[in-house]
Amino acid sequence: MYADPPAPQPRQPGENPPSTGSANPLDGQPRAWEFNPEYQRLVTAWQTALPLLESLTTALDKAYQLARSPQTWDAPVGGRYVQDLAEWRSRLAMYRQAVLTSISDEAADTPRWVPSATGAPHAFS
């Protein structure tokens, strides 16, 4: 069994954007920030995928436990069925790891805050 990678964290109540560090408006630093919609998309993807993966894992584990029971099978085909279910459990665990890792890696590379276009002066707009 694999451990899940760190989940992207949604915006917390009271969380503030990064400070600019300078009060001079001409230093090239953005004055307005917004929570990155791409980062929020990754948070939503994680929150959508995790329950689905959990339900698949739970259903497959239940079938595996029932198949291993001596009351379920009394033929050699039962052993093959249990081996097939074990293989599917392994594949699902690797798939879960791949999906969650890709979301986590992309979230690690995506900034939480981006400069906002609203309120910023634009020439010829």
Side-chain angles (χ1 to χ4, degrees), residues 25 29-32 34 115-125:
Q29 295 292 322
R31 290 183 284 172
E34 67 177 331
S116 175
T118 60
H122 297 285
F124 308 110
S125 56

Side-chain angles (χ1 to χ4, degrees), residues 68-83:
R68 289 184 59 205
S69 172
Q71 291 88 14
T72 304
W73 298 101
D74 192 22
V77 71
R80 291 192 303 269
Y81 185 70
V82 169
Q83 288 174 351

Side-chain angles (χ1 to χ4, degrees), residues 58-120:
T58 303
L60 199 52
D61 286 346
K62 182 179 178 182
Y64 180 72
Q65 293 302 325
L66 288 173
R68 289 184 59 205
S69 172
Q71 291 88 14
T72 304
W73 298 101
D74 192 22
V77 71
R80 291 192 303 269
Y81 185 70
V82 169
Q83 288 174 351
D84 287 347
L85 282 175
E87 176 63 27
W88 280 107
R89 287 176 72 214
S90 174
R91 288 181 186 184
L92 180 60
M94 289 187 298
Y95 178 73
R96 174 190 175 120
Q97 185 71 19
V99 168
L100 295 180
T101 299
S102 67
I103 294 172
S104 180
D105 288 350
E106 189 171 342
D109 293 338
T110 304
R112 288 176 59 84
W113 294 90
V114 293
S116 175
T118 60

